[in-house]
Amino acid sequence: MNSSLKKVLIVGLGSIGMRHLKIIQKLFPKIKIIALRHQPCDKEEANSLGLYDCVDSIEKAIELKPDAAIIANPSTMRLELINILANSGVHLFIEKPISAFSEGVQELIDLCNHKGIVLMTGYNLRFLPSLVEFRKQLDSGKIGKILSFHAEVGQNLSKWRLNKNYKKTVSSQKTLGGGVLLELSHEIDYINWIFGKADWVKSHLSNQSDLEIDVEDSANIIFGFKRQKNYEIIGLLNMNFYQYDISRKCKAVGEKGTLLWDGVVGEIKFYGEKDKSWKTVFTSYPDRDFTYIEEIKNFFTSIEHNKNPHVSGNDGLKVLEVIDAIRQSNLQGNVVYL
């Protein structure tokens, strides 16, 4: 594939930064890739990774004049750095969540709009064929008027990071932006995308397991989406870091039936008002890199054609606004209106 981009900066070479590095090298081998990391990176290591250069400060990175940047460092450490890049005219792809806090994100969005910079948030589930089809079927009226939904996501943190001590990962540490709300915020993004932004939330956050972490390992949230005076969709979301069976599902219940999405196996099932069993209506199980490849392609295409990306900076901010409300509800023990 070809791209007019000449240099791309990757901030952070953890697991997700390395994934983006390999994808760009495979899809766009002519692009020169610069890495910015907090630890020194000698020439031998840079060469082994196929890097054009490796730097340890944002000032050195700016001097190399990257056209675009992939931000993959911890979410608590990125906003100041991102603003420096935006002020330098660098297009931005920011791994989810766009930040650990909503404060300052609107100003970043305004800056990017003023500078004509593409700002994309890395919610790669938006590119998953089975989730795209789930949204399409709900929009088509497959189950009629939607009455409620139940979403869940869970995976045991100690098994998730097999090659690392889970206690030292981003997911486990408050200072790095860990906890289920931020680390598993894909769910909140796709709920916004499919059902619209909630009008209110009621939540309970807790530490249910014996995992040695200083952030919540469990979140249970009720959402309310007002549609008409006497009609609102009620949604439930359960998130956790402790279950051993990997789960990512959403069941939407409507007047004409129920639609069930299973993101782990890439399958959608339907149970209609006249049916006596579940029927599989869609199956797609792409390889693990598929959604990451598609989002990078969308980011580069958005830059090339000066158009909005599939997942915008505004989408990233909407997720943080919902998370703010969830945290407030947990602290106050009551419903919080958005």
Side-chain angles (χ1 to χ4, degrees), residues 93-108:
F93 174 96
I94 307 176
E95 260 304 331
K96 65 81 196 167
I98 195 168
S99 176
F101 321 99
S102 60
E103 184 180 356
V105 176
Q106 184 60 61
E107 290 77 8
L108 171 65

Side-chain angles (χ1 to χ4, degrees), residues 206-263:
S206 60
N207 291 85
Q208 298 291 101
S209 72
D210 292 329
L211 289 168
E212 296 179 45
I213 61 179
D214 66 355
V215 285
E216 78 282 349
D217 67 14
S218 174
N220 293 280
I221 306 145
I222 306 172
F223 298 85
F225 304 80
K226 293 182 181 178
R227 291 293 186 263
Q228 299 168 9
K229 185 177 180 181
N230 297 314
Y231 162 51
E232 64 179 349
I233 298 172
I234 300 298
L236 303 176
L237 172 59
N238 305 110
M239 316 166 80
N240 75 72
F241 273 164
Y242 50 74
Q243 72 183 67
Y244 289 103
D245 57 307
I246 301 171
S247 178
R248 173 161 269 152
K249 296 178 181 177
C250 184
K251 178 190 285 186
V253 181
E255 289 184 320
K256 296 179 181 179
T258 302
L259 205 62
L260 173 63
W261 168 67
D262 188 328

